[in-house]
Amino acid sequence: MTQNISSTEQRPYHHGDLHRAIVDAALDVLSESQTTEFSLRELARRAGVSHNAPYKHFADKRELLAAVSAVGFELLSKRMAEATKELDSPRKRLTAMARAYVCGGVKNPALYRLMFGGYLAGQDDGRPAIERTAAYNMKALIVGAISDGALGRPIADTEANTRTIDGAILIFWSQMHGLTLLLADRLVGPSDKMEELTGNVLQGMLDGLVNSIPAVPEGVWVGPPLAG
């Protein structure tokens, strides 16, 4: 549960894997340095290719970081799913997902801030399409737990219930996002108590949502919308 969300399997790279080789090199550098202030030339060196090779797959650094963020969401979604695969209770599933989310962010704050911060937002507040899709898939895991009854009663995942489910997710996400940053910035601690702290915060939040779920206002989105 406390694994770094940037970890990648070590494997040989063939010509057709160059795109992922560069992304994996970026994940490694980001995890080690905790900053996005690295060059594509450095990534090429890490991947063992020519310094121009990254530009065959990425127009610029922002496009590369969008791919890195998307992989971050994929890895986090995988860990959230793995944390819940033996759990039948929707509430326990949501709790396990919350712990995976918080632990992942605290273990690699730079990747977390890339995924959930404003670095990749465009002038129109849009996010890169590759990242939006990966983030949406992660959101779907949370929607599944809520619709199955994590808040004390099933809420069908239908268009009529979208604003209610999004209202619950907004509260859940706000709490977990805030706790992640507080722990990562050492304003709350110690970090070895993060799983217990996550459970305590989530418990209080869920107790409130069982009694009342404030629907989001019409026209509000929660999570990067699939349409730019």
Side-chain angles (χ1 to χ4, degrees):
M1 187 74 74
T2 59
Q3 288 178 302
N4 192 314
I5 63 176
S6 72
S7 61
T8 55
E9 292 184 2
Q10 296 299 314
R11 59 185 176 85
Y13 293 110
H14 305 288
H15 179 71
D17 295 324
L18 180 57
H19 181 282
R20 186 55 188 256
I22 298 298
V23 171
D24 284 352
L27 284 165
D28 289 341
V29 172
L30 189 62
S31 178
E32 293 166 12
S33 67
Q34 287 300 298
T35 178
T36 56
E37 298 301 316
F38 52 78
S39 66
L40 268 64
R41 180 184 289 268
E42 179 181 0
L43 301 185
R45 179 184 59 78
R46 285 252 185 167
V49 296
S50 71
H51 67 272
N52 288 324
Y55 294 99
K56 297 178 181 178
H57 294 273
F58 305 101
D60 52 30
K61 187 175 177 179
R62 183 176 183 272
E63 188 172 300
L64 165 67
L65 290 177
V68 171
S69 179
V71 172
F73 278 110
E74 291 168 5
L75 292 171
L76 183 54
S77 297
K78 180 180 178 181
R79 294 209 170 96
M80 289 169 68
E82 288 176 347
T84 64
K85 64 183 180 182
E86 302 296 331
L87 302 175
D88 294 326
S89 164
R91 185 152 178 159
K92 289 182 178 179
R93 281 161 46 204
L94 190 62
T95 300
M97 283 189 274
R99 288 184 174 134
Y101 178 101
V102 173
C103 290
V106 173
K107 290 294 183 180
N108 193 341
L111 179 57
Y112 181 84
R113 288 187 169 96
L114 176 65
M115 293 162 60
F116 294 99
Y119 184 90
L120 292 173
Q123 293 182 347
D124 60 353
D125 294 327
R127 307 280 296 199
I130 186 175
E131 184 200 51
R132 292 199 307 268
T133 300
Y136 179 85
N137 292 337
M138 189 192 75
K139 177 184 175 182
L141 294 173
I142 302 172
V143 170
I146 291 174
S147 64
D148 287 346
L151 305 183
R153 61 182 175 85
I155 304 174
D157 183 14
T158 62
E159 185 175 353
N161 290 330
T162 296
R163 288 171 56 200
T164 298
I165 292 176
D166 275 354
I169 290 176
L170 178 58
I171 293 173
F172 170 86
W173 191 14
S174 297
Q175 294 276 358
M176 295 304 105
H177 181 67
L179 180 59
T180 300
L181 292 178
L182 288 170
L183 284 163
D185 292 334
R186 300 184 64 80
L187 296 173
V188 172
S191 59
D192 62 5
K193 296 287 187 180
M194 74 178 81
E195 292 198 15
E196 186 176 352
L197 282 166
T198 301
N200 289 345
V201 171
L202 188 66
Q203 180 70 38
M205 180 197 69
L206 292 179
D207 287 345
L209 286 175
V210 165
N211 296 319
S212 175
I213 305 174
V216 298
E218 188 172 354
V220 170
W221 71 81
V222 177
L226 287 178

